[in-house]
Amino acid sequence: NNIGANSYSEVILGLPGDSFHSHKKTLKTLIESSFNTISMYQLMMLPGTELNTNDTREKFKMKTGFRILPRCFGFFSINNQDYTVAEIEEICISNSTLSFSEYLKSRKLDFFVNVFYNDAVFEDLIILLKKLNISVWDWVFFLFERYKSYNFKKLVDLFIKETKSELSSEKDLQKLISKKENIIKFIKGELGNNLMFKYKSLSLTKYAKDMFKMVNELTIEFLQEEKVMNSFIKKLVDEIILFNKLKIIDIFSSEQSIEQTFVYNISILKEIDKLNDLKKVSKIEKFRFIFENTHQKEINKYLKIFGSDTVGLTRILSRVYLKNFFRSPVALS
């Protein structure tokens, strides 16, 4: 972290003995350890492993579902005969300590970690929380518990709905992929997307304004419950979230720079020792949020390859460290 490198950890949901409580505890530990990125996966029942035996399945009462592995499909012509191919994976969706409803709740929590913690989308807000000696995990979990009264709920509900619907039986999937027209749908992205990245892309595009509005209001509510709220902190939260928003909003659909005035110089937030130091240097300051040439070239390269629709953005997010694409704030005064 001190040298600006990207650090990450990986978590598998559904191992024997797992539960919503233990999964939550794992995510809390990793966030409080300040990993930049946490990759969250479901448990694959890999052929030939001890885990994938009848004895293990029966011992831990493991129930599974089948789905098409993202990006592992195609059709080929060999000796004038067409073959359709897709890799089907089996994943654990419940066991003796993890019900299916807890599995879905855990996946929803994974989604919140991916949206609100990964990729430094709210980097400056997280810096503020740390300077207030408040747990970043507690903030993420607060959003997880309080989001339902906001329009962002529609996106969460769609994520859970598709998390359920992507699961099928192996027989039904084999029948599905036997038809070339269905393989074409997978290739086009109409079927078989990585749901975590698909809905992350929607949170940054179609639902971005809803997301930032919700985070602003819930963060203020959270800090009130933490008993650190005052007029200075409230103004600071408002400006930090706007600052983060302008670095990110429309980065895949617009090359334009954005100008905005701020009372506090959010760009030095990481460098100061005490929050009150911001007051000492406070003045009305204008920032221009611009794309560095290298950033815009990278964005355009990926958009040319994958496209700018939800399917394309899903594929882009699965390949990049998003922070590298953000606008850079430049002080004008």
Side-chain angles (χ1 to χ4, degrees), residues 7-98:
S7 58
Y8 69 93
S9 181
E10 298 177 333
V11 180
I12 299 174
L13 171 66
L15 285 161
D18 208 354
S19 65
F20 174 75
H21 175 74
S22 64
H23 189 64
K24 172 186 169 185
K25 185 177 179 181
T26 298
L27 295 176
K28 172 182 169 71
T29 300
L30 293 174
I31 285 179
E32 292 184 343
S33 299
S34 296
F35 283 96
N36 296 145
T37 301
I38 303 171
S39 298
M40 296 147 289
Y41 302 105
Q42 294 110 309
L43 176 62
M44 294 174 66
M45 308 298 288
L46 295 173
T49 61
E50 182 180 351
L51 187 72
N52 189 15
T53 62
N54 289 333
D55 287 345
T56 302
R57 289 172 182 254
E58 291 173 7
K59 179 179 180 180
F60 297 104
K61 297 181 173 57
M62 301 174 78
K63 294 183 179 179
T64 63
F66 294 84
R67 65 182 183 182
I68 303 298
L69 202 61
R71 301 193 310 216
C72 294
F73 35 74
F75 56 86
F76 308 91
S77 180
I78 303 174
N79 293 330
N80 297 320
Q81 185 171 348
D82 290 335
Y83 294 88
T84 58
V85 180
E87 185 170 352
I88 298 174
E89 67 171 347
E90 184 181 11
I91 60 171
C92 179
I93 58 175
S94 71
N95 59 37
S96 57
T97 55
L98 180 75

Side-chain angles (χ1 to χ4, degrees), residues 3 22 55 95 98 174 249 280 290 321-322 331:
I3 64 172
S22 64
D55 287 345
N95 59 37
L98 180 75
Q174 287 174 340
I249 198 77
K280 298 176 184 177
I290 64 171
Y321 182 37
L322 184 63

